[in-house]
Amino acid sequence: MSEQKKENRREERQVKFRVNETEYEKLSYLAEQQGMSVPNFVKSKAQGTRLRNPKVEIEGAKEIARQLRYYNSNLNQLVKWINTNKTIYEPTELKAMEQQLAGIQEGVSGLWEQLSR
């Protein structure tokens, strides 16, 4: 005999309903715009939650995240190089590190400006 597993759910009740293809596409599009799944979007709307459109569309946010990973990687490489080469640096090396750091800072500032619009 197998025992029935009790589901670990916060909510006890489940509501099911059907929609046609057009309605589902619309719900899917609206949920995607909010960065939510369709069930979470429908539940939020049913509860009367006021949803606001995000300032940055999903694709824009993905691109910003990709660029942040790039700058983070560059910063990590610079810090790792400094920590592994614990010596007195030549002025040219210091200038190159300063330029790299300024480039990273400029890039992150540009991303911040995009998000602030």
Side-chain angles (χ1 to χ4, degrees), residues 56 59-69 111 114-115:
V56 178
E59 288 305 313
K62 287 179 181 177
E63 178 60 24
I64 289 172
R66 186 191 67 74
Q67 290 176 4
L68 281 172
R69 283 191 299 274
L111 293 176
Q114 285 180 1
L115 288 172

Side-chain angles (χ1 to χ4, degrees), residues 18-29:
R18 294 191 175 273
V19 295
N20 63 34
E21 190 63 33
T22 305
E23 292 168 331
Y24 183 80
E25 287 175 10
K26 184 176 180 181
L27 287 172
S28 181
Y29 173 78

Side-chain angles (χ1 to χ4, degrees), residues 26-38 40-42 44-45 49-58:
K26 184 176 180 181
L27 287 172
S28 181
Y29 173 78
L30 293 170
E32 184 180 323
Q33 293 301 309
Q34 296 295 324
M36 303 171 80
S37 66
V38 173
N40 285 340
F41 175 77
V42 172
S44 294
K45 292 300 274 185
T49 303
R50 186 171 179 184
L51 300 174
R52 296 185 181 138
N53 287 334
K55 291 183 178 181
V56 178
E57 73 269 357
I58 299 295

Side-chain angles (χ1 to χ4, degrees), residues 44-106:
S44 294
K45 292 300 274 185
Q47 293 172 334
T49 303
R50 186 171 179 184
L51 300 174
R52 296 185 181 138
N53 287 334
K55 291 183 178 181
V56 178
E57 73 269 357
I58 299 295
E59 288 305 313
K62 287 179 181 177
E63 178 60 24
I64 289 172
R66 186 191 67 74
Q67 290 176 4
L68 281 172
R69 283 191 299 274
Y70 169 79
Y71 292 125
N72 182 50
S73 176
N74 286 354
L75 183 60
N76 283 339
Q77 288 173 6
L78 179 62
V79 170
K80 183 177 179 181
W81 186 82
I82 291 169
N83 285 330
T84 56
N85 299 308
K86 295 181 179 178
T87 62
I88 297 176
Y89 298 104
E90 296 292 322
T92 56
E93 292 174 316
L94 290 173
K95 188 68 175 170
M97 286 186 269
E98 190 177 301
Q99 287 174 345
Q100 277 186 297
L101 195 54
I104 293 168
Q105 187 175 13
E106 185 178 311

